[in-house]
Amino acid sequence: MERDMRAASAPPGESPAVAGPPPRVRVVGVSKTYPTPDGGSARVIENVDLTLAEGEFLAIVGPSGCGKSTLLRLISGLVPVSDGRIVVAGEEVIAPPPRVGFMFQRDTLLPWASVSANIAVALELNGTPAAERPARIAALLKLLGLERYADYRPSALSGGMRQRAALGRLLAYGPELYLMDEPFGALDAMTKMILGRELLRIWSQDAKSVVFVTHDIEEAVGLSDRVVVMEGPPGRIKSEYRIDLPRPRDFREVRLLPEFRDVCERIWRDIGRHAEAE
Ligand SMILES: Nc1ncnc2c1ncn2[C@@H]1O[C@H](COP(=O)(O)OP(=O)(O)OP(=O)(O)O)[C@@H](O)[C@H]1O
Ligand SMILES: [Mg+2]
């Protein structure tokens, strides 16, 4: 698909109507209510509409507690909606749909298994023949700078290493839909740059659909086709920005473009206004 040909204007929460495959994700009028410790209930997501086109890279930004992780969990089918519906690949989500990979804000590596074994599980799950697994694991460990830690268990890794291992597992699984919750949160600037660049390279080859939650506006703009700004609680979509920066894109060099600075600034002002109004 020619990414740059996508229409520049679309109604809020909607992808442009392009001829081609149906959307990967449709979130329609979704709300989520949780019980509170005092016996009451709290609305944490309110009436969210969102469409993710096939092959689209969507970033979600917004202040802490506005419901970003909750929205991602609802899409993943791990948590049921209170109202509305979510459709992934044409099927209503009532349980985790197949071929969806989730990378949590806190890593969920198997604590008793080494880094290699954690990645091997994902390869087994996606049906990679056993004979091909060692080479694939070695390639991923190299990509993520974890070669020396292949036999370490998660408890013996730093936070950033655990996050890299979790990313390795996600890439090994190779889902059709990537749901990523602040995957670069615990990484130093240099590793973030290397992995951001790598994620874009992998994405441009495979054209998988991605929902990427981050609180880092530059990261969101550098990676995505569209940035959705959330506000809350209760979590709602405040605004969205189509990112028309050229593809293929270099995650670092794109930052030098005036259009990059311009859209980051607009999003900052948007979120800043929200924060000032609190
Ligand atoms: N399992 C739960 N039970 C009750 N309330 C919850 C639950 N999970 C999330 N919440 C509430 O939902 C709101 C949104 O939380 P969420 O984790 O989605 O925010 P977030 O935007 O991801 O924040 P952050 O940027 O800090 O990760 C919060 O008020 C939180 O207390
Ligand atoms: Mg979160």
PDB file of all heavy atoms in Angstrom, residues 69 105 181-182, ligand 2:
ATOM      1  N   SER A  69      -3.987   3.000  28.649  1.00  0.00           N
ATOM      2  CA  SER A  69      -3.763   1.558  28.829  1.00  0.00           C
ATOM      3  C   SER A  69      -5.093   0.813  28.831  1.00  0.00           C
ATOM      4  O   SER A  69      -5.193  -0.292  28.277  1.00  0.00           O
ATOM      5  CB  SER A  69      -3.022   1.280  30.141  1.00  0.00           C
ATOM      6  OG  SER A  69      -1.747   1.857  30.100  1.00  0.00           O
ATOM      7  N   GLN A 105       2.774  -2.190  29.512  1.00  0.00           N
ATOM      8  CA  GLN A 105       3.562  -1.098  30.076  1.00  0.00           C
ATOM      9  C   GLN A 105       4.632  -1.671  31.009  1.00  0.00           C
ATOM     10  O   GLN A 105       5.758  -1.226  31.023  1.00  0.00           O
ATOM     11  CB  GLN A 105       2.613  -0.174  30.840  1.00  0.00           C
ATOM     12  CG  GLN A 105       3.169   1.174  31.182  1.00  0.00           C
ATOM     13  CD  GLN A 105       2.058   2.132  31.593  1.00  0.00           C
ATOM     14  OE1 GLN A 105       0.874   1.821  31.524  1.00  0.00           O
ATOM     15  NE2 GLN A 105       2.454   3.309  32.031  1.00  0.00           N
ATOM     16  N   ASP A 181       2.059  -0.722  24.724  1.00  0.00           N
ATOM     17  CA  ASP A 181       1.796   0.245  25.789  1.00  0.00           C
ATOM     18  C   ASP A 181       3.115   0.765  26.351  1.00  0.00           C
ATOM     19  O   ASP A 181       3.760   0.098  27.152  1.00  0.00           O
ATOM     20  CB  ASP A 181       0.962  -0.435  26.888  1.00  0.00           C
ATOM     21  CG  ASP A 181       0.349   0.574  27.842  1.00  0.00           C
ATOM     22  OD1 ASP A 181       0.620   1.782  27.691  1.00  0.00           O
ATOM     23  OD2 ASP A 181      -0.403   0.153  28.740  1.00  0.00           O
ATOM     24  N   GLU A 182       3.495   1.954  25.922  1.00  0.00           N
ATOM     25  CA  GLU A 182       4.763   2.576  26.330  1.00  0.00           C
ATOM     26  C   GLU A 182       5.924   1.592  26.277  1.00  0.00           C
ATOM     27  O   GLU A 182       6.638   1.393  27.274  1.00  0.00           O
ATOM     28  CB  GLU A 182       4.621   3.162  27.742  1.00  0.00           C
ATOM     29  CG  GLU A 182       3.473   4.156  27.806  1.00  0.00           C
ATOM     30  CD  GLU A 182       3.620   5.182  28.913  1.00  0.00           C
ATOM     31  OE1 GLU A 182       4.778   5.461  29.291  1.00  0.00           O
ATOM     32  OE2 GLU A 182       2.608   5.706  29.355  1.00  0.00           O
TER      33      GLU A 182
HETATM   34 MG    MG B   2      -0.812   3.403  30.974  1.00  0.00          MG
END
